[in-house]
PDB file of all heavy atoms in Angstrom:
ATOM      1  N   ALA K  76       0.842  -1.198   0.000  1.00  0.00           N
ATOM      2  CA  ALA K  76       0.000   0.000   0.000  1.00  0.00           C
ATOM      3  C   ALA K  76       0.871   1.240   0.000  1.00  0.00           C
ATOM      4  O   ALA K  76       1.893   1.310   0.689  1.00  0.00           O
ATOM      5  CB  ALA K  76      -0.917   0.003   1.218  1.00  0.00           C
ATOM      6  N   VAL K  77       0.483   2.214  -0.803  1.00  0.00           N
ATOM      7  CA  VAL K  77       1.202   3.482  -0.890  1.00  0.00           C
ATOM      8  C   VAL K  77       0.501   4.480   0.026  1.00  0.00           C
ATOM      9  O   VAL K  77      -0.708   4.670  -0.057  1.00  0.00           O
ATOM     10  CB  VAL K  77       1.210   4.015  -2.333  1.00  0.00           C
ATOM     11  CG1 VAL K  77       1.917   5.365  -2.404  1.00  0.00           C
ATOM     12  CG2 VAL K  77       1.888   3.012  -3.260  1.00  0.00           C
ATOM     13  N   HIS K  78       1.272   5.077   0.922  1.00  0.00           N
ATOM     14  CA  HIS K  78       0.679   5.980   1.900  1.00  0.00           C
ATOM     15  C   HIS K  78       0.495   7.380   1.303  1.00  0.00           C
ATOM     16  O   HIS K  78       1.154   8.349   1.663  1.00  0.00           O
ATOM     17  CB  HIS K  78       1.539   6.045   3.157  1.00  0.00           C
ATOM     18  CG  HIS K  78       1.644   4.734   3.861  1.00  0.00           C
ATOM     19  ND1 HIS K  78       0.583   4.153   4.528  1.00  0.00           N
ATOM     20  CD2 HIS K  78       2.678   3.858   3.968  1.00  0.00           C
ATOM     21  CE1 HIS K  78       0.949   2.990   5.037  1.00  0.00           C
ATOM     22  NE2 HIS K  78       2.220   2.789   4.707  1.00  0.00           N
ATOM     23  N   SER K  79      -0.393   7.437   0.347  1.00  0.00           N
ATOM     24  CA  SER K  79      -0.771   8.721  -0.249  1.00  0.00           C
ATOM     25  C   SER K  79      -2.260   8.662  -0.564  1.00  0.00           C
ATOM     26  O   SER K  79      -2.807   7.575  -0.785  1.00  0.00           O
ATOM     27  CB  SER K  79       0.027   8.998  -1.526  1.00  0.00           C
ATOM     28  OG  SER K  79      -0.234   8.019  -2.503  1.00  0.00           O
ATOM     29  N   ARG K  80      -2.890   9.802  -0.573  1.00  0.00           N
ATOM     30  CA  ARG K  80      -4.333   9.841  -0.784  1.00  0.00           C
ATOM     31  C   ARG K  80      -4.688   9.395  -2.195  1.00  0.00           C
ATOM     32  O   ARG K  80      -4.152   9.900  -3.181  1.00  0.00           O
ATOM     33  CB  ARG K  80      -4.864  11.252  -0.530  1.00  0.00           C
ATOM     34  CG  ARG K  80      -6.391  11.368  -0.638  1.00  0.00           C
ATOM     35  CD  ARG K  80      -6.837  12.760  -0.262  1.00  0.00           C
ATOM     36  NE  ARG K  80      -6.553  13.038   1.127  1.00  0.00           N
ATOM     37  CZ  ARG K  80      -7.354  12.700   2.133  1.00  0.00           C
ATOM     38  NH1 ARG K  80      -8.474  12.019   1.865  1.00  0.00           N
ATOM     39  NH2 ARG K  80      -7.045  12.992   3.370  1.00  0.00           N
ATOM     40  N   ALA K  81      -5.603   8.441  -2.284  1.00  0.00           N
ATOM     41  CA  ALA K  81      -6.044   7.948  -3.591  1.00  0.00           C
ATOM     42  C   ALA K  81      -6.980   8.954  -4.235  1.00  0.00           C
ATOM     43  O   ALA K  81      -7.672   9.724  -3.557  1.00  0.00           O
ATOM     44  CB  ALA K  81      -6.752   6.608  -3.428  1.00  0.00           C
ATOM     45  N   THR K  82      -7.000   8.952  -5.556  1.00  0.00           N
ATOM     46  CA  THR K  82      -7.884   9.833  -6.321  1.00  0.00           C
ATOM     47  C   THR K  82      -9.192   9.099  -6.598  1.00  0.00           C
ATOM     48  O   THR K  82      -9.180   7.936  -6.993  1.00  0.00           O
ATOM     49  CB  THR K  82      -7.226  10.243  -7.647  1.00  0.00           C
ATOM     50  OG1 THR K  82      -5.952  10.828  -7.360  1.00  0.00           O
ATOM     51  CG2 THR K  82      -8.090  11.232  -8.400  1.00  0.00           C
ATOM     52  N   ALA K  83     -10.328   9.767  -6.361  1.00  0.00           N
ATOM     53  CA  ALA K  83     -11.636   9.156  -6.598  1.00  0.00           C
ATOM     54  C   ALA K  83     -11.696   8.601  -8.017  1.00  0.00           C
ATOM     55  O   ALA K  83     -11.164   9.218  -8.943  1.00  0.00           O
ATOM     56  CB  ALA K  83     -12.736  10.185  -6.368  1.00  0.00           C
ATOM     57  N   PRO K  84     -12.308   7.423  -8.216  1.00  0.00           N
ATOM     58  CA  PRO K  84     -13.110   6.681  -7.234  1.00  0.00           C
ATOM     59  C   PRO K  84     -12.325   5.700  -6.385  1.00  0.00           C
ATOM     60  O   PRO K  84     -12.923   4.916  -5.653  1.00  0.00           O
ATOM     61  CB  PRO K  84     -14.074   5.913  -8.147  1.00  0.00           C
ATOM     62  CG  PRO K  84     -13.235   5.587  -9.344  1.00  0.00           C
ATOM     63  CD  PRO K  84     -12.354   6.785  -9.548  1.00  0.00           C
ATOM     64  N   ALA K  85     -10.998   5.703  -6.444  1.00  0.00           N
ATOM     65  CA  ALA K  85     -10.196   4.718  -5.721  1.00  0.00           C
ATOM     66  C   ALA K  85     -10.206   4.994  -4.217  1.00  0.00           C
ATOM     67  O   ALA K  85     -10.292   6.144  -3.762  1.00  0.00           O
ATOM     68  CB  ALA K  85      -8.771   4.715  -6.248  1.00  0.00           C
ATOM     69  N   ASP K  86     -10.121   3.915  -3.441  1.00  0.00           N
ATOM     70  CA  ASP K  86     -10.065   4.003  -1.982  1.00  0.00           C
ATOM     71  C   ASP K  86      -8.640   3.886  -1.462  1.00  0.00           C
ATOM     72  O   ASP K  86      -8.334   4.364  -0.376  1.00  0.00           O
ATOM     73  CB  ASP K  86     -10.907   2.884  -1.349  1.00  0.00           C
ATOM     74  CG  ASP K  86     -12.350   2.915  -1.801  1.00  0.00           C
ATOM     75  OD1 ASP K  86     -12.982   3.965  -1.642  1.00  0.00           O
ATOM     76  OD2 ASP K  86     -12.834   1.894  -2.328  1.00  0.00           O
ATOM     77  N   GLU K  87      -7.774   3.235  -2.231  1.00  0.00           N
ATOM     78  CA  GLU K  87      -6.416   2.972  -1.781  1.00  0.00           C
ATOM     79  C   GLU K  87      -5.507   2.841  -2.997  1.00  0.00           C
ATOM     80  O   GLU K  87      -5.965   2.543  -4.103  1.00  0.00           O
ATOM     81  CB  GLU K  87      -6.373   1.678  -0.950  1.00  0.00           C
ATOM     82  CG  GLU K  87      -5.039   1.379  -0.295  1.00  0.00           C
ATOM     83  CD  GLU K  87      -5.091   0.142   0.584  1.00  0.00           C
ATOM     84  OE1 GLU K  87      -6.201  -0.351   0.862  1.00  0.00           O
ATOM     85  OE2 GLU K  87      -4.002  -0.345   0.981  1.00  0.00           O
ATOM     86  N   VAL K  88      -4.213   3.049  -2.791  1.00  0.00           N
ATOM     87  CA  VAL K  88      -3.214   2.924  -3.850  1.00  0.00           C
ATOM     88  C   VAL K  88      -2.282   1.768  -3.508  1.00  0.00           C
ATOM     89  O   VAL K  88      -1.790   1.666  -2.384  1.00  0.00           O
ATOM     90  CB  VAL K  88      -2.391   4.215  -4.016  1.00  0.00           C
ATOM     91  CG1 VAL K  88      -1.373   4.056  -5.144  1.00  0.00           C
ATOM     92  CG2 VAL K  88      -3.312   5.400  -4.276  1.00  0.00           C
ATOM     93  N   ILE K  89      -2.040   0.889  -4.479  1.00  0.00           N
ATOM     94  CA  ILE K  89      -1.125  -0.237  -4.282  1.00  0.00           C
ATOM     95  C   ILE K  89      -0.026  -0.196  -5.334  1.00  0.00           C
ATOM     96  O   ILE K  89      -0.296  -0.032  -6.524  1.00  0.00           O
ATOM     97  CB  ILE K  89      -1.870  -1.585  -4.364  1.00  0.00           C
ATOM     98  CG1 ILE K  89      -2.785  -1.760  -3.145  1.00  0.00           C
ATOM     99  CG2 ILE K  89      -0.892  -2.746  -4.451  1.00  0.00           C
ATOM    100  CD1 ILE K  89      -3.564  -3.061  -3.150  1.00  0.00           C
ATOM    101  N   ASP K  90       1.208  -0.328  -4.882  1.00  0.00           N
ATOM    102  CA  ASP K  90       2.365  -0.463  -5.763  1.00  0.00           C
ATOM    103  C   ASP K  90       2.524  -1.954  -6.055  1.00  0.00           C
ATOM    104  O   ASP K  90       2.935  -2.727  -5.181  1.00  0.00           O
ATOM    105  CB  ASP K  90       3.604   0.101  -5.074  1.00  0.00           C
ATOM    106  CG  ASP K  90       4.800   0.179  -6.012  1.00  0.00           C
ATOM    107  OD1 ASP K  90       4.652  -0.176  -7.200  1.00  0.00           O
ATOM    108  OD2 ASP K  90       5.879   0.581  -5.556  1.00  0.00           O
ATOM    109  N   VAL K  91       2.190  -2.376  -7.251  1.00  0.00           N
ATOM    110  CA  VAL K  91       2.103  -3.794  -7.599  1.00  0.00           C
ATOM    111  C   VAL K  91       3.492  -4.422  -7.667  1.00  0.00           C
ATOM    112  O   VAL K  91       4.393  -3.908  -8.335  1.00  0.00           O
ATOM    113  CB  VAL K  91       1.369  -3.988  -8.937  1.00  0.00           C
ATOM    114  CG1 VAL K  91       1.304  -5.472  -9.310  1.00  0.00           C
ATOM    115  CG2 VAL K  91      -0.038  -3.389  -8.866  1.00  0.00           C
ATOM    116  N   SER K  92       3.644  -5.565  -6.998  1.00  0.00           N
ATOM    117  CA  SER K  92       4.918  -6.299  -7.029  1.00  0.00           C
ATOM    118  C   SER K  92       4.792  -7.647  -7.722  1.00  0.00           C
ATOM    119  O   SER K  92       5.779  -8.190  -8.228  1.00  0.00           O
ATOM    120  CB  SER K  92       5.445  -6.511  -5.606  1.00  0.00           C
ATOM    121  OG  SER K  92       4.497  -7.220  -4.816  1.00  0.00           O
ATOM    122  N   ALA K  93       3.588  -8.228  -7.749  1.00  0.00           N
ATOM    123  CA  ALA K  93       3.368  -9.522  -8.403  1.00  0.00           C
ATOM    124  C   ALA K  93       1.966  -9.549  -8.976  1.00  0.00           C
ATOM    125  O   ALA K  93       1.024  -9.019  -8.374  1.00  0.00           O
ATOM    126  CB  ALA K  93       3.568 -10.666  -7.419  1.00  0.00           C
ATOM    127  N   LEU K  94       1.823 -10.170 -10.153  1.00  0.00           N
ATOM    128  CA  LEU K  94       0.533 -10.191 -10.837  1.00  0.00           C
ATOM    129  C   LEU K  94       0.354 -11.516 -11.559  1.00  0.00           C
ATOM    130  O   LEU K  94       1.298 -12.029 -12.164  1.00  0.00           O
ATOM    131  CB  LEU K  94       0.439  -9.015 -11.811  1.00  0.00           C
ATOM    132  CG  LEU K  94      -0.851  -8.819 -12.600  1.00  0.00           C
ATOM    133  CD1 LEU K  94      -1.088  -7.336 -12.872  1.00  0.00           C
ATOM    134  CD2 LEU K  94      -0.798  -9.585 -13.920  1.00  0.00           C
ATOM    135  N   LYS K  95      -0.867 -12.064 -11.502  1.00  0.00           N
ATOM    136  CA  LYS K  95      -1.192 -13.303 -12.190  1.00  0.00           C
ATOM    137  C   LYS K  95      -2.506 -13.127 -12.942  1.00  0.00           C
ATOM    138  O   LYS K  95      -3.516 -12.731 -12.355  1.00  0.00           O
ATOM    139  CB  LYS K  95      -1.304 -14.456 -11.190  1.00  0.00           C
ATOM    140  CG  LYS K  95      -1.703 -15.796 -11.830  1.00  0.00           C
ATOM    141  CD  LYS K  95      -1.701 -16.923 -10.809  1.00  0.00           C
ATOM    142  CE  LYS K  95      -2.769 -16.735  -9.772  1.00  0.00           C
ATOM    143  NZ  LYS K  95      -2.846 -17.899  -8.832  1.00  0.00           N
ATOM    144  N   VAL K  96      -2.507 -13.400 -14.233  1.00  0.00           N
ATOM    145  CA  VAL K  96      -3.737 -13.343 -15.030  1.00  0.00           C
ATOM    146  C   VAL K  96      -4.534 -14.609 -14.765  1.00  0.00           C
ATOM    147  O   VAL K  96      -4.003 -15.720 -14.818  1.00  0.00           O
ATOM    148  CB  VAL K  96      -3.418 -13.215 -16.539  1.00  0.00           C
ATOM    149  CG1 VAL K  96      -4.698 -13.228 -17.350  1.00  0.00           C
ATOM    150  CG2 VAL K  96      -2.619 -11.943 -16.806  1.00  0.00           C
ATOM    151  N   LEU K  97      -5.831 -14.450 -14.477  1.00  0.00           N
ATOM    152  CA  LEU K  97      -6.688 -15.581 -14.155  1.00  0.00           C
ATOM    153  C   LEU K  97      -7.410 -16.094 -15.393  1.00  0.00           C
ATOM    154  O   LEU K  97      -7.614 -15.364 -16.358  1.00  0.00           O
ATOM    155  CB  LEU K  97      -7.695 -15.180 -13.072  1.00  0.00           C
ATOM    156  CG  LEU K  97      -7.063 -14.652 -11.781  1.00  0.00           C
ATOM    157  CD1 LEU K  97      -8.134 -14.239 -10.793  1.00  0.00           C
ATOM    158  CD2 LEU K  97      -6.143 -15.694 -11.157  1.00  0.00           C
ATOM    159  N   ALA K  98      -7.818 -17.346 -15.325  1.00  0.00           N
ATOM    160  CA  ALA K  98      -8.404 -18.002 -16.495  1.00  0.00           C
ATOM    161  C   ALA K  98      -9.738 -17.391 -16.886  1.00  0.00           C
ATOM    162  O   ALA K  98     -10.069 -17.258 -18.060  1.00  0.00           O
ATOM    163  CB  ALA K  98      -8.562 -19.503 -16.224  1.00  0.00           C
ATOM    164  N   THR K  99     -10.552 -17.022 -15.892  1.00  0.00           N
ATOM    165  CA  THR K  99     -11.862 -16.452 -16.197  1.00  0.00           C
ATOM    166  C   THR K  99     -11.725 -14.990 -16.572  1.00  0.00           C
ATOM    167  O   THR K  99     -10.841 -14.289 -16.080  1.00  0.00           O
ATOM    168  CB  THR K  99     -12.798 -16.599 -14.996  1.00  0.00           C
ATOM    169  OG1 THR K  99     -12.153 -16.087 -13.836  1.00  0.00           O
ATOM    170  CG2 THR K  99     -13.164 -18.050 -14.772  1.00  0.00           C
ATOM    171  N   GLY K 100     -12.621 -14.528 -17.440  1.00  0.00           N
ATOM    172  CA  GLY K 100     -12.519 -13.164 -17.936  1.00  0.00           C
ATOM    173  C   GLY K 100     -13.329 -12.177 -17.135  1.00  0.00           C
ATOM    174  O   GLY K 100     -13.825 -12.469 -16.055  1.00  0.00           O
ATOM    175  N   CYS K 101     -13.473 -10.975 -17.681  1.00  0.00           N
ATOM    176  CA  CYS K 101     -14.171  -9.893 -17.014  1.00  0.00           C
ATOM    177  C   CYS K 101     -15.611  -9.798 -17.503  1.00  0.00           C
ATOM    178  O   CYS K 101     -15.885  -9.969 -18.691  1.00  0.00           O
ATOM    179  CB  CYS K 101     -13.466  -8.559 -17.277  1.00  0.00           C
ATOM    180  SG  CYS K 101     -11.800  -8.497 -16.593  1.00  0.00           S
ATOM    181  N   SER K 102     -16.486  -9.462 -16.620  1.00  0.00           N
ATOM    182  CA  SER K 102     -17.885  -9.235 -16.960  1.00  0.00           C
ATOM    183  C   SER K 102     -18.151  -7.746 -16.904  1.00  0.00           C
ATOM    184  O   SER K 102     -17.913  -7.103 -15.885  1.00  0.00           O
ATOM    185  CB  SER K 102     -18.800  -9.968 -15.970  1.00  0.00           C
ATOM    186  OG  SER K 102     -20.127  -9.520 -16.108  1.00  0.00           O
ATOM    187  N   THR K 103     -18.624  -7.184 -18.007  1.00  0.00           N
ATOM    188  CA  THR K 103     -18.914  -5.746 -18.016  1.00  0.00           C
ATOM    189  C   THR K 103     -20.031  -5.418 -17.051  1.00  0.00           C
ATOM    190  O   THR K 103     -20.058  -4.346 -16.456  1.00  0.00           O
ATOM    191  CB  THR K 103     -19.305  -5.285 -19.435  1.00  0.00           C
ATOM    192  OG1 THR K 103     -20.377  -6.110 -19.920  1.00  0.00           O
ATOM    193  CG2 THR K 103     -18.131  -5.393 -20.378  1.00  0.00           C
ATOM    194  N   ALA K 104     -20.974  -6.339 -16.867  1.00  0.00           N
ATOM    195  CA  ALA K 104     -22.069  -6.097 -15.929  1.00  0.00           C
ATOM    196  C   ALA K 104     -21.548  -6.040 -14.504  1.00  0.00           C
ATOM    197  O   ALA K 104     -21.926  -5.188 -13.711  1.00  0.00           O
ATOM    198  CB  ALA K 104     -23.130  -7.197 -16.060  1.00  0.00           C
ATOM    199  N   ALA K 105     -20.631  -6.974 -14.189  1.00  0.00           N
ATOM    200  CA  ALA K 105     -20.055  -6.980 -12.843  1.00  0.00           C
ATOM    201  C   ALA K 105     -19.238  -5.736 -12.597  1.00  0.00           C
ATOM    202  O   ALA K 105     -19.266  -5.144 -11.525  1.00  0.00           O
ATOM    203  CB  ALA K 105     -19.188  -8.228 -12.653  1.00  0.00           C
TER     204      ALA K 105
END
């Protein structure tokens, strides 16, 4: 977590260190 105020609509800021793409996709409705 980055200790700086997030810009709306975000609640928090994260400096990403690791990322994994998941098999299921995104739903525009969700």
